Amino acid sequence: MLPEGLDRQPLPNIVAAIRQLGFNCVRLTYATYMVTRHAGDRVGRTFDGLGLGSVKDEIARFNPLVVRMTHLQAFDAVLDELGRQGVMVDIDNHVSKPMWCCKEKDGNGFFGDAYFDPKEWLLGLTVLARRYVYKPQVIGMGLRNELRGERQSEATWRKYVTLAGNAIHVANPNVLIFAGGISYASVLSFLKKKPLSTTFGNKLVYESHWYPFTAGPEKVWTEKPLNQLCRAKIDGYVNTTAFSFTAGGSAAVPLFVGEVGIPGAEVKKSSDNFLSCFATWAAENDLDWAWWGLQGGYYFRDNRTGMDEYFGALSYFWDRPRNPFLLNRLRLMQLKNQGT
């Protein structure tokens, strides 16, 4: 319920690092309960209640005002600093109950799960859409991260994506609406037969996620010649998700690859092959994408304080790139390669 890194660096420094790395937008995640149940709670008291007083002290050291803010005020402060430095924001509903994501049966996976009340979810989306209607840096809202689990169904997906999109559009007609597919945002192929009918115009964007381990074990990226394997993998990806933006696709909807990434500290051959394939295809098609992730570590994750994030673009202390060589390989994808 608090954007990461405020215990490692002053907020303006973190945003400056984002710009220096060549990124122009942040997919800023949040939990529904932050909005619906804990909006008025003070950040410092939350950390004290979790027995994380030492982390609170570090936040106070680098960002002294934050610990006295409510959770929504702190979220506002992060959004405002991003806006001041010219960074766009996609506000992404990551979970309902604040916890690490994502497991098949964690109660946060699909509409109707233990912690995923659709009415509460819609309320949270609407509150934030209305709250940020006058913040132009907020260019989009992600409906839900990586829908999954035994409850998932096409009909339910259509129902709630439509309801949420309409609710956001009424509350804030300025923002894009990012809708991820099912099976961890890897499947939208059910839209080939029946595209989603909406009333919010051209604001809809489909979101997918792609990692070396998506649709099969990561080791397959070393089992065949890369050109042959890359072609097959891209064909599979287009068939399940990316058809929506390709020529002749049945749904003329833009595609946003909302998560793509590999561990940065030590790049394996399989990860390297995957990135070479994705980067070439993304640059060729001028895709919009988000790297998972920026964060060098976490306040508290999986019952561990100060856990490192090996996928993070920044180091453990958020003060330098974790792997400058890896980030340099993203430069071609960061350029606008089509249009004017």
Side-chain angles (χ1 to χ4, degrees):
M1 297 192 294
L2 181 70
E4 301 285 352
L6 300 179
D7 60 336
R8 305 290 171 85
Q9 294 291 327
L11 175 57
N13 291 13
I14 295 175
V15 178
I18 293 168
R19 289 181 54 85
Q20 290 164 7
L21 291 173
F23 296 110
N24 63 3
C25 187
V26 169
R27 179 172 173 260
L28 188 63
T29 63
Y30 74 95
T32 296
Y33 289 5
M34 179 193 79
V35 182
T36 59
R37 304 188 186 191
H38 301 290
D41 294 358
R42 301 284 171 180
V43 170
R45 290 182 180 178
T46 296
F47 277 86
D48 285 338
L50 293 169
L52 299 173
S54 61
V55 179
K56 183 193 75 172
D57 291 343
E58 289 301 297
I59 295 173
R61 174 188 169 197
F62 289 107
N63 298 280
L65 297 180
V66 169
V67 293
R68 296 193 295 274
M69 292 178 176
T70 67
H71 285 285
L72 269 184
Q73 287 172 340
F75 201 76
D76 291 346
V78 172
L79 284 175
D80 289 343
E81 185 59 37
L82 288 163
R84 272 192 290 270
Q85 296 198 38
V87 179
M88 297 177 287
V89 185
D90 162 28
I91 301 174
D92 181 75
N93 180 237
H94 218 64
V95 289
S96 291
K97 180 181 179 180
M99 61 190 297
W100 175 246
C101 178
C102 303
K103 295 180 179 178
E104 194 78 5
K105 298 181 179 181
D106 61 7
N108 267 314
F110 202 73
F111 308 101
D113 282 359
Y115 309 121
F116 196 169
D117 175 14
K119 290 184 179 179
E120 187 172 10
W121 167 73
L122 286 168
L123 174 62
L125 291 172
T126 304
V127 167
L128 291 189
R130 187 177 298 120
R131 186 179 183 90
Y132 300 132
V133 69
Y134 296 116
K135 291 187 183 294
Q137 70 269 38
V138 179
I139 55 89
M141 295 186 66
L143 299 186
R144 186 68 171 203
N145 178 68
E146 297 197 346
L147 292 166
R148 61 199 177 275
E150 58 190 14
R151 290 178 180 269
Q152 62 183 352
S153 73
E154 173 191 340
T156 305
W157 183 91
R158 289 179 182 275
K159 172 184 176 180
Y160 286 115
V161 166
T162 302
L163 285 173
N166 288 337
I168 291 172
H169 187 58
V170 169
N172 185 343
N174 303 321
V175 295
L176 298 171
I177 297 164
F178 294 94
I182 59 175
S183 299
Y184 293 86
S186 68
V187 175
L188 282 165
S189 52
F190 52 85
L191 294 171
K192 288 182 179 180
K193 294 181 179 179
K194 184 182 178 183
L196 187 67
S197 178
T198 71
T199 58
F200 37 92
N202 62 350
K203 302 298 177 64
L204 179 64
V205 178
Y206 289 138
E207 179 176 339
S208 68
H209 297 174
W210 201 10
Y211 290 95
F213 46 79
T214 300
E218 183 174 341
K219 66 179 181 179
V220 301
W221 284 96
T222 61
E223 293 179 348
K224 293 180 180 180
L226 183 54
N227 285 348
Q228 176 185 350
L229 181 62
C230 184
R231 182 70 269 165
K233 284 289 188 178
I234 289 173
D235 287 347
Y237 184 68
V238 169
N239 185 54
T240 57
T241 300
F243 67 90
S244 62
F245 87 103
T246 56
S250 60
V253 176
L255 178 73
F256 170 53
V257 183
E259 288 185 21
V260 60
I262 62 174
E266 184 176 345
V267 179
K268 298 185 296 184
K269 181 65 174 177
S270 54
S271 296
D272 186 63
N273 285 350
F274 163 78
L275 183 59
S276 296
C277 178
F278 177 81
T280 302
W281 184 66
E284 178 184 2
N285 289 280
D286 218 8
L287 280 177
D288 288 316
W289 50 274
W291 188 256
W292 181 273
L294 175 74
Q295 63 273 20
Y298 301 90
Y299 306 124
F300 185 75
R301 172 185 158 186
D302 292 340
N303 294 317
R304 291 173 58 186
T305 302
M307 185 175 177
D308 197 5
E309 174 51 270
Y310 298 108
F311 281 73
L314 293 178
S315 69
Y316 181 77
F317 292 103
W318 295 63
D319 59 349
R320 59 177 61 90
R322 184 175 294 263
N323 185 332
F325 174 75
L326 172 61
L327 293 175
N328 284 337
R329 293 184 60 194
L330 306 182
R331 298 301 184 197
L332 181 61
M333 292 195 295
Q334 290 175 322
L335 299 174
K336 184 175 182 180
N337 299 313
Q338 296 179 15
T340 58

PDB file of all heavy atoms in Angstrom, residues 217-233 269-270 273-274 277:
ATOM      1  N   PRO A 217       8.465 -23.997 -20.193  1.00  0.00           N
ATOM      2  CA  PRO A 217       9.660 -23.795 -19.372  1.00  0.00           C
ATOM      3  C   PRO A 217      10.685 -22.903 -20.065  1.00  0.00           C
ATOM      4  O   PRO A 217      10.812 -22.907 -21.293  1.00  0.00           O
ATOM      5  CB  PRO A 217      10.204 -25.215 -19.172  1.00  0.00           C
ATOM      6  CG  PRO A 217       9.658 -25.990 -20.329  1.00  0.00           C
ATOM      7  CD  PRO A 217       8.318 -25.387 -20.635  1.00  0.00           C
ATOM      8  N   GLU A 218      11.425 -22.165 -19.273  1.00  0.00           N
ATOM      9  CA  GLU A 218      12.402 -21.222 -19.817  1.00  0.00           C
ATOM     10  C   GLU A 218      13.499 -21.910 -20.625  1.00  0.00           C
ATOM     11  O   GLU A 218      14.036 -21.337 -21.571  1.00  0.00           O
ATOM     12  CB  GLU A 218      13.019 -20.406 -18.684  1.00  0.00           C
ATOM     13  CG  GLU A 218      13.997 -19.350 -19.148  1.00  0.00           C
ATOM     14  CD  GLU A 218      14.484 -18.450 -18.025  1.00  0.00           C
ATOM     15  OE1 GLU A 218      13.814 -18.395 -16.975  1.00  0.00           O
ATOM     16  OE2 GLU A 218      15.525 -17.810 -18.203  1.00  0.00           O
ATOM     17  N   LYS A 219      13.811 -23.143 -20.287  1.00  0.00           N
ATOM     18  CA  LYS A 219      14.922 -23.839 -20.943  1.00  0.00           C
ATOM     19  C   LYS A 219      14.706 -24.021 -22.450  1.00  0.00           C
ATOM     20  O   LYS A 219      15.678 -24.242 -23.190  1.00  0.00           O
ATOM     21  CB  LYS A 219      15.156 -25.190 -20.282  1.00  0.00           C
ATOM     22  CG  LYS A 219      14.016 -26.191 -20.455  1.00  0.00           C
ATOM     23  CD  LYS A 219      14.343 -27.515 -19.778  1.00  0.00           C
ATOM     24  CE  LYS A 219      13.218 -28.532 -19.980  1.00  0.00           C
ATOM     25  NZ  LYS A 219      13.527 -29.830 -19.338  1.00  0.00           N
ATOM     26  N   VAL A 220      13.457 -23.934 -22.926  1.00  0.00           N
ATOM     27  CA  VAL A 220      13.206 -24.132 -24.359  1.00  0.00           C
ATOM     28  C   VAL A 220      13.903 -23.071 -25.198  1.00  0.00           C
ATOM     29  O   VAL A 220      14.159 -23.286 -26.393  1.00  0.00           O
ATOM     30  CB  VAL A 220      11.701 -24.145 -24.683  1.00  0.00           C
ATOM     31  CG1 VAL A 220      10.979 -25.234 -23.925  1.00  0.00           C
ATOM     32  CG2 VAL A 220      11.062 -22.781 -24.415  1.00  0.00           C
ATOM     33  N   TRP A 221      14.239 -21.947 -24.580  1.00  0.00           N
ATOM     34  CA  TRP A 221      14.899 -20.872 -25.315  1.00  0.00           C
ATOM     35  C   TRP A 221      16.354 -21.201 -25.683  1.00  0.00           C
ATOM     36  O   TRP A 221      17.024 -20.397 -26.338  1.00  0.00           O
ATOM     37  CB  TRP A 221      14.839 -19.573 -24.522  1.00  0.00           C
ATOM     38  CG  TRP A 221      13.482 -18.946 -24.577  1.00  0.00           C
ATOM     39  CD1 TRP A 221      12.477 -19.073 -23.663  1.00  0.00           C
ATOM     40  CD2 TRP A 221      12.969 -18.104 -25.612  1.00  0.00           C
ATOM     41  NE1 TRP A 221      11.366 -18.365 -24.061  1.00  0.00           N
ATOM     42  CE2 TRP A 221      11.639 -17.748 -25.253  1.00  0.00           C
ATOM     43  CE3 TRP A 221      13.492 -17.607 -26.808  1.00  0.00           C
ATOM     44  CZ2 TRP A 221      10.845 -16.939 -26.055  1.00  0.00           C
ATOM     45  CZ3 TRP A 221      12.700 -16.784 -27.601  1.00  0.00           C
ATOM     46  CH2 TRP A 221      11.392 -16.462 -27.223  1.00  0.00           C
ATOM     47  N   THR A 222      16.821 -22.364 -25.271  1.00  0.00           N
ATOM     48  CA  THR A 222      18.180 -22.789 -25.646  1.00  0.00           C
ATOM     49  C   THR A 222      18.180 -24.083 -26.446  1.00  0.00           C
ATOM     50  O   THR A 222      19.243 -24.591 -26.788  1.00  0.00           O
ATOM     51  CB  THR A 222      19.049 -22.998 -24.384  1.00  0.00           C
ATOM     52  OG1 THR A 222      18.463 -24.039 -23.571  1.00  0.00           O
ATOM     53  CG2 THR A 222      19.157 -21.717 -23.580  1.00  0.00           C
ATOM     54  N   GLU A 223      17.002 -24.614 -26.780  1.00  0.00           N
ATOM     55  CA  GLU A 223      16.932 -25.960 -27.352  1.00  0.00           C
ATOM     56  C   GLU A 223      16.907 -25.990 -28.879  1.00  0.00           C
ATOM     57  O   GLU A 223      17.020 -27.057 -29.471  1.00  0.00           O
ATOM     58  CB  GLU A 223      15.696 -26.682 -26.797  1.00  0.00           C
ATOM     59  CG  GLU A 223      15.813 -26.974 -25.299  1.00  0.00           C
ATOM     60  CD  GLU A 223      14.580 -27.656 -24.736  1.00  0.00           C
ATOM     61  OE1 GLU A 223      13.548 -27.697 -25.446  1.00  0.00           O
ATOM     62  OE2 GLU A 223      14.635 -28.131 -23.586  1.00  0.00           O
ATOM     63  N   LYS A 224      16.743 -24.841 -29.535  1.00  0.00           N
ATOM     64  CA  LYS A 224      16.722 -24.790 -30.992  1.00  0.00           C
ATOM     65  C   LYS A 224      17.475 -23.545 -31.452  1.00  0.00           C
ATOM     66  O   LYS A 224      17.729 -22.631 -30.656  1.00  0.00           O
ATOM     67  CB  LYS A 224      15.279 -24.742 -31.519  1.00  0.00           C
ATOM     68  CG  LYS A 224      14.465 -25.996 -31.269  1.00  0.00           C
ATOM     69  CD  LYS A 224      13.055 -25.832 -31.841  1.00  0.00           C
ATOM     70  CE  LYS A 224      12.230 -27.085 -31.608  1.00  0.00           C
ATOM     71  NZ  LYS A 224      10.841 -26.936 -32.161  1.00  0.00           N
ATOM     72  N   PRO A 225      17.849 -23.478 -32.738  1.00  0.00           N
ATOM     73  CA  PRO A 225      18.447 -22.239 -33.251  1.00  0.00           C
ATOM     74  C   PRO A 225      17.531 -21.058 -32.962  1.00  0.00           C
ATOM     75  O   PRO A 225      16.307 -21.145 -33.131  1.00  0.00           O
ATOM     76  CB  PRO A 225      18.557 -22.519 -34.756  1.00  0.00           C
ATOM     77  CG  PRO A 225      18.655 -24.003 -34.848  1.00  0.00           C
ATOM     78  CD  PRO A 225      17.789 -24.537 -33.759  1.00  0.00           C
ATOM     79  N   LEU A 226      18.120 -19.944 -32.543  1.00  0.00           N
ATOM     80  CA  LEU A 226      17.319 -18.823 -32.041  1.00  0.00           C
ATOM     81  C   LEU A 226      16.361 -18.282 -33.089  1.00  0.00           C
ATOM     82  O   LEU A 226      15.204 -17.977 -32.768  1.00  0.00           O
ATOM     83  CB  LEU A 226      18.234 -17.707 -31.530  1.00  0.00           C
ATOM     84  CG  LEU A 226      17.518 -16.501 -30.913  1.00  0.00           C
ATOM     85  CD1 LEU A 226      16.569 -16.932 -29.804  1.00  0.00           C
ATOM     86  CD2 LEU A 226      18.536 -15.494 -30.389  1.00  0.00           C
ATOM     87  N   ASN A 227      16.793 -18.150 -34.330  1.00  0.00           N
ATOM     88  CA  ASN A 227      15.889 -17.607 -35.354  1.00  0.00           C
ATOM     89  C   ASN A 227      14.636 -18.464 -35.517  1.00  0.00           C
ATOM     90  O   ASN A 227      13.514 -17.960 -35.600  1.00  0.00           O
ATOM     91  CB  ASN A 227      16.614 -17.506 -36.704  1.00  0.00           C
ATOM     92  CG  ASN A 227      17.578 -16.346 -36.748  1.00  0.00           C
ATOM     93  OD1 ASN A 227      17.561 -15.486 -35.872  1.00  0.00           O
ATOM     94  ND2 ASN A 227      18.434 -16.323 -37.752  1.00  0.00           N
ATOM     95  N   GLN A 228      14.844 -19.770 -35.542  1.00  0.00           N
ATOM     96  CA  GLN A 228      13.722 -20.706 -35.689  1.00  0.00           C
ATOM     97  C   GLN A 228      12.806 -20.644 -34.473  1.00  0.00           C
ATOM     98  O   GLN A 228      11.574 -20.579 -34.590  1.00  0.00           O
ATOM     99  CB  GLN A 228      14.264 -22.113 -35.895  1.00  0.00           C
ATOM    100  CG  GLN A 228      13.195 -23.192 -35.965  1.00  0.00           C
ATOM    101  CD  GLN A 228      13.809 -24.591 -36.057  1.00  0.00           C
ATOM    102  OE1 GLN A 228      15.022 -24.739 -36.247  1.00  0.00           O
ATOM    103  NE2 GLN A 228      12.987 -25.605 -35.929  1.00  0.00           N
ATOM    104  N   LEU A 229      13.412 -20.654 -33.301  1.00  0.00           N
ATOM    105  CA  LEU A 229      12.635 -20.646 -32.063  1.00  0.00           C
ATOM    106  C   LEU A 229      11.896 -19.322 -31.893  1.00  0.00           C
ATOM    107  O   LEU A 229      10.718 -19.298 -31.505  1.00  0.00           O
ATOM    108  CB  LEU A 229      13.566 -20.883 -30.871  1.00  0.00           C
ATOM    109  CG  LEU A 229      12.915 -20.934 -29.493  1.00  0.00           C
ATOM    110  CD1 LEU A 229      11.936 -22.089 -29.404  1.00  0.00           C
ATOM    111  CD2 LEU A 229      13.974 -21.049 -28.407  1.00  0.00           C
ATOM    112  N   CYS A 230      12.569 -18.233 -32.196  1.00  0.00           N
ATOM    113  CA  CYS A 230      11.956 -16.907 -32.041  1.00  0.00           C
ATOM    114  C   CYS A 230      10.724 -16.782 -32.925  1.00  0.00           C
ATOM    115  O   CYS A 230       9.683 -16.283 -32.494  1.00  0.00           O
ATOM    116  CB  CYS A 230      12.985 -15.830 -32.371  1.00  0.00           C
ATOM    117  SG  CYS A 230      12.387 -14.148 -32.122  1.00  0.00           S
ATOM    118  N   ARG A 231      10.833 -17.234 -34.163  1.00  0.00           N
ATOM    119  CA  ARG A 231       9.694 -17.171 -35.071  1.00  0.00           C
ATOM    120  C   ARG A 231       8.504 -17.957 -34.520  1.00  0.00           C
ATOM    121  O   ARG A 231       7.355 -17.491 -34.542  1.00  0.00           O
ATOM    122  CB  ARG A 231      10.088 -17.730 -36.434  1.00  0.00           C
ATOM    123  CG  ARG A 231       9.018 -17.681 -37.514  1.00  0.00           C
ATOM    124  CD  ARG A 231       8.755 -16.266 -37.965  1.00  0.00           C
ATOM    125  NE  ARG A 231       7.680 -15.609 -37.212  1.00  0.00           N
ATOM    126  CZ  ARG A 231       7.468 -14.301 -37.221  1.00  0.00           C
ATOM    127  NH1 ARG A 231       8.253 -13.503 -37.920  1.00  0.00           N
ATOM    128  NH2 ARG A 231       6.483 -13.777 -36.528  1.00  0.00           N
ATOM    129  N   ALA A 232       8.783 -19.147 -34.002  1.00  0.00           N
ATOM    130  CA  ALA A 232       7.709 -19.984 -33.466  1.00  0.00           C
ATOM    131  C   ALA A 232       7.082 -19.347 -32.230  1.00  0.00           C
ATOM    132  O   ALA A 232       5.847 -19.366 -32.055  1.00  0.00           O
ATOM    133  CB  ALA A 232       8.258 -21.369 -33.135  1.00  0.00           C
ATOM    134  N   LYS A 233       7.905 -18.785 -31.373  1.00  0.00           N
ATOM    135  CA  LYS A 233       7.395 -18.167 -30.151  1.00  0.00           C
ATOM    136  C   LYS A 233       6.557 -16.923 -30.464  1.00  0.00           C
ATOM    137  O   LYS A 233       5.502 -16.696 -29.856  1.00  0.00           O
ATOM    138  CB  LYS A 233       8.560 -17.802 -29.222  1.00  0.00           C
ATOM    139  CG  LYS A 233       9.161 -18.985 -28.487  1.00  0.00           C
ATOM    140  CD  LYS A 233       8.210 -19.509 -27.425  1.00  0.00           C
ATOM    141  CE  LYS A 233       8.830 -20.556 -26.548  1.00  0.00           C
ATOM    142  NZ  LYS A 233       7.897 -21.018 -25.478  1.00  0.00           N
ATOM    143  N   LYS A 269      21.638 -17.791 -20.503  1.00  0.00           N
ATOM    144  CA  LYS A 269      21.535 -17.885 -21.952  1.00  0.00           C
ATOM    145  C   LYS A 269      20.075 -17.903 -22.394  1.00  0.00           C
ATOM    146  O   LYS A 269      19.708 -17.261 -23.389  1.00  0.00           O
ATOM    147  CB  LYS A 269      22.249 -19.149 -22.446  1.00  0.00           C
ATOM    148  CG  LYS A 269      22.222 -19.342 -23.966  1.00  0.00           C
ATOM    149  CD  LYS A 269      22.986 -18.249 -24.685  1.00  0.00           C
ATOM    150  CE  LYS A 269      23.066 -18.527 -26.172  1.00  0.00           C
ATOM    151  NZ  LYS A 269      23.752 -17.428 -26.903  1.00  0.00           N
ATOM    152  N   SER A 270      19.242 -18.622 -21.665  1.00  0.00           N
ATOM    153  CA  SER A 270      17.825 -18.696 -22.029  1.00  0.00           C
ATOM    154  C   SER A 270      17.169 -17.315 -21.955  1.00  0.00           C
ATOM    155  O   SER A 270      16.408 -16.919 -22.843  1.00  0.00           O
ATOM    156  CB  SER A 270      17.090 -19.682 -21.131  1.00  0.00           C
ATOM    157  OG  SER A 270      17.291 -19.359 -19.757  1.00  0.00           O
ATOM    158  N   ASN A 273      18.443 -15.101 -24.845  1.00  0.00           N
ATOM    159  CA  ASN A 273      17.797 -15.430 -26.121  1.00  0.00           C
ATOM    160  C   ASN A 273      16.381 -14.868 -26.176  1.00  0.00           C
ATOM    161  O   ASN A 273      15.945 -14.338 -27.209  1.00  0.00           O
ATOM    162  CB  ASN A 273      17.770 -16.941 -26.323  1.00  0.00           C
ATOM    163  CG  ASN A 273      19.120 -17.500 -26.708  1.00  0.00           C
ATOM    164  OD1 ASN A 273      20.060 -16.748 -27.003  1.00  0.00           O
ATOM    165  ND2 ASN A 273      19.251 -18.813 -26.703  1.00  0.00           N
ATOM    166  N   PHE A 274      15.654 -15.014 -25.084  1.00  0.00           N
ATOM    167  CA  PHE A 274      14.301 -14.458 -25.031  1.00  0.00           C
ATOM    168  C   PHE A 274      14.316 -12.956 -25.270  1.00  0.00           C
ATOM    169  O   PHE A 274      13.532 -12.429 -26.069  1.00  0.00           O
ATOM    170  CB  PHE A 274      13.658 -14.758 -23.675  1.00  0.00           C
ATOM    171  CG  PHE A 274      12.462 -13.899 -23.372  1.00  0.00           C
ATOM    172  CD1 PHE A 274      11.234 -14.174 -23.943  1.00  0.00           C
ATOM    173  CD2 PHE A 274      12.574 -12.792 -22.528  1.00  0.00           C
ATOM    174  CE1 PHE A 274      10.116 -13.368 -23.683  1.00  0.00           C
ATOM    175  CE2 PHE A 274      11.472 -11.989 -22.263  1.00  0.00           C
ATOM    176  CZ  PHE A 274      10.249 -12.277 -22.838  1.00  0.00           C
ATOM    177  N   CYS A 277      14.967 -11.940 -28.857  1.00  0.00           N
ATOM    178  CA  CYS A 277      13.773 -12.167 -29.679  1.00  0.00           C
ATOM    179  C   CYS A 277      12.737 -11.085 -29.438  1.00  0.00           C
ATOM    180  O   CYS A 277      12.233 -10.464 -30.382  1.00  0.00           O
ATOM    181  CB  CYS A 277      13.205 -13.544 -29.366  1.00  0.00           C
ATOM    182  SG  CYS A 277      11.685 -13.955 -30.259  1.00  0.00           S
TER     183      CYS A 277
END
